[in-house]
Amino acid sequence: MSYFADLPAIRFEGPESRNPLAYRYYEPDRLVLGQPMAEILRPCVAYWHSFCWPGSDVFGSGTFERPWLGGPDALAMAEAKADAAFDFFAKLGAPYFAFHDVDAVPLGRSIREGWSNLDAIADRFAGHMERTGVKLLWGTANLFSHPRYAAGAATNPDPHIFAHAAAQVRAVLDVTKRLGGTNYVLWGGREGYETLLNTDLKRELDQLGRFLALVVEHKHRIGFTGTILIEPKPCEPTKHQYDFDAATVHGFLSRYDLVGEVKLNIEANHATLAGHSFEHEIAYALAHDLLGSLDINRGDPQNGWDTDQFPNDLNEMTLVLYRILQAGGLKTGGFNFDAKVRRQSIDAIDLLHAHVGGFDLLARALLNAEKLIADSSLADFVSRRYAGWDGGFGQDILAGRLSLAEIAEKAAAGPEPHPVSGRQEMLENLVQRFI
């Protein structure tokens, strides 16, 4: 399979390069805060959008001529797709990839046939991984595309469908461990409802809680040392999904005693669909030690759905990296390009252009964030703004040494406090100096 054979291998040429197929900022081995850039970012290619999507939309059929899409022998096509994918990873210099089970191989007509097919393609992945050095960031099971999951997988009214979903997850979690994956992701695309008229919401949440507990139990049983992740999204395909946003998932994990066992895979486009910024969702996850990994893409502000475009907002990504670096960086996670080229970008080279731009955006934002941290002006301002809580009165309140009545008496006996400016405009100007 030589679909990508004519594409050049991407090399670093520096910021002055005019070559559209060269890295201007992404240097895998460059040290940033003492670590190689590639290890901090862990950039990852999404198997599904890059190699499985045919370029179709709800109004038209596929526009991409990928030779592995279709054909009489589905398993042979899956093998050809894997060969092409790892050829692409090598051209790009991508250190990681991620996949769903149905992206990698057809699951066949029965659970056991699906297991057999998945094992076969895992063998092929393993050979390519050993040859190229590309690693698995995470695996996941697709529990939303098949008609059986129209009413959900774990939240389905039929326990036999719950069991079918469990069989898929067990198989992919086993393969993820076998391939050395550092995370396992659960996205509840159909775990929600279209109408409350036919929905027992409490029952469905209890089912979902039990399902996730079973996944965690199996993780420990097989000795998988990676992180279990949930990927929040508010809607689409369902009207309302139970994993609406980071705060909702946090509450769910607390309710079912799973905090500490499960973290979050935050996606940029999902954050904006929930009415948040990407930075907000990351900040919330970091504040509660829930951040595991990231899917980076963007939506179109004029479209109210998940357009999964490649990221290009340097301001946003700089602040995202700044927050993550301040918190000590990602542990097992990375930056997965859960993004697809546009339907009119029909050539193989378009896929390369998209990822080169994405890698460079990440790298440039990382270097900006490094400068923001070294300068320390932003962090120092925030520390000064809350300094009162570090003193005696603030600490007495937080430690519970004062009752509500005692706090009220201190307020009545003291002078009128005067608000201090938040200096938002100054801080926005400050950040721009590092972009």
Side-chain angles (χ1 to χ4, degrees):
M1 205 62 193
S2 57
Y3 182 74
F4 298 111
D6 294 335
L7 299 184
I10 307 302
R11 301 285 184 260
F12 173 76
E13 294 184 5
E16 303 306 315
S17 175
R18 302 298 296 273
N19 179 2
L21 289 176
Y23 291 127
R24 300 171 65 235
Y25 297 95
Y26 180 65
E27 293 182 85
D29 298 326
R30 177 172 175 172
L31 294 183
V32 179
L33 299 177
Q35 294 185 70
M37 182 180 283
E39 186 55 31
I40 294 176
L41 297 174
R42 293 184 166 197
C44 173
V45 178
Y47 205 84
W48 50 100
H49 286 326
S50 297
F51 310 109
C52 304
W53 184 53
S56 59
D57 63 21
V58 294
F59 297 105
S61 59
T63 57
F64 301 158
E65 294 183 3
R66 312 289 198 231
W68 53 83
L69 296 179
D73 189 335
L75 191 55
M77 291 296 98
E79 291 172 346
K81 178 167 55 179
D83 296 346
F86 278 87
D87 185 18
F88 181 82
F89 302 155
K91 300 278 187 179
L92 186 64
Y96 288 90
F97 78 108
F99 76 98
H100 296 81
D101 49 1
V102 300
D103 308 326
V105 72
L107 296 187
R109 292 161 294 182
S110 70
I111 289 175
R112 293 194 183 281
E113 183 179 353
W115 290 346
S116 176
N117 289 348
L118 189 60
D119 281 340
I121 206 66
D123 288 341
R124 203 169 191 91
F125 279 176
H128 282 308
M129 292 168 71
E130 183 176 2
R131 175 178 58 81
T132 63
V134 176
K135 300 174 185 177
L136 178 62
L137 187 68
W138 49 260
T140 185
N142 180 321
L143 305 180
F144 48 90
S145 292
H146 195 281
R148 78 172 67 89
Y149 298 128
T155 59
N156 200 284
D158 185 346
H160 296 287
I161 293 178
F162 178 107
H164 205 294
Q168 271 187 253
V169 170
R170 190 201 76 169
V172 186
L173 185 53
D174 288 352
V175 164
T176 300
K177 175 181 182 292
R178 172 182 160 195
L179 294 176
T182 54
N183 307 272
Y184 182 86
V185 172
L186 293 143
W187 177 58
R190 304 283 181 185
E191 313 295 16
Y193 62 78
E194 299 295 338
T195 175
L196 286 170
L197 294 175
N198 62 9
T199 302
D200 185 333
L201 194 147
K202 182 182 184 306
R203 183 189 292 272
E204 291 195 0
L205 287 172
D206 286 345
Q207 289 172 208
L208 188 57
R210 181 59 190 141
F211 191 92
L212 191 53
L214 287 167
V215 174
V216 169
E217 290 166 12
H218 187 69
K219 164 194 166 169
H220 292 301
R221 185 173 294 115
I222 66 174
F224 177 59
T225 58
T227 307
I228 303 295
L229 303 171
I230 289 181
E231 182 173 321
K233 189 178 183 183
C235 57
E236 195 203 45
T238 64
K239 172 185 176 179
H240 174 87
Q241 290 180 204
Y242 297 136
D243 53 359
F244 189 93
D245 61 4
T248 302
V249 177
H250 184 199
F252 173 83
L253 296 176
S254 298
R255 168 69 178 82
Y256 295 98
D257 198 25
L258 292 165
V259 173
E261 291 284 2
V262 179
K263 298 197 178 218
L264 299 179
N265 184 62
I266 303 292
E267 179 178 313
N269 206 169
H270 293 181
T272 53
L273 285 174
H276 305 306
S277 68
F278 191 27
E279 184 188 3
H280 164 86
E281 288 290 87
I282 290 168
Y284 184 93
L286 287 171
H288 297 89
D289 192 26
L290 287 171
L291 185 62
S293 196
L294 302 168
D295 276 8
I296 52 171
N297 50 29
R298 77 181 197 274
D300 187 320
Q302 295 172 316
N303 288 340
W305 62 86
D306 196 359
T307 56
D308 284 328
Q309 295 171 243
F310 275 81
N312 65 1
D313 189 332
L314 183 59
N315 282 32
E316 176 184 65
M317 204 58 66
T318 294
L319 291 173
V320 163
L321 264 300
Y322 171 73
R323 290 193 177 276
I324 290 171
L325 292 178
Q326 270 196 318
L330 298 171
K331 304 300 186 290
T332 60
F335 286 80
N336 175 51
F337 285 91
D338 187 9
K340 54 181 182 279
V341 295
R342 299 301 88 192
R343 190 167 179 262
Q344 297 178 51
S345 298
I346 60 176
D347 296 334
I349 201 169
D350 293 318
L351 197 59
L352 199 58
H353 279 298
H355 284 88
V356 168
F359 276 46
D360 250 3
L361 177 79
L362 268 186
R364 191 175 179 186
L366 177 63
L367 297 175
N368 290 345
E370 180 187 35
K371 293 173 187 174
L372 265 172
I373 288 174
D375 176 80
S376 81
S377 297
L378 183 57
D380 291 346
F381 180 89
V382 174
S383 295
R384 289 194 302 271
R385 190 169 185 232
Y386 292 92
W389 288 98
D390 296 327
F393 184 45
Q395 287 296 298
D396 285 345
I397 293 173
L398 295 176
R401 290 188 286 267
L402 295 173
S403 68
L404 184 65
E406 289 171 325
I407 294 170
E409 288 298 326
K410 283 184 175 291
E416 176 70 21
H418 295 287
V420 176
S421 174
R423 295 281 192 272
Q424 178 174 334
E425 293 76 14
M426 181 196 77
L427 296 175
E428 289 171 345
N429 294 344
L430 169 66
V431 170
Q432 288 305 307
R433 297 210 312 263
F434 297 92
I435 300 298

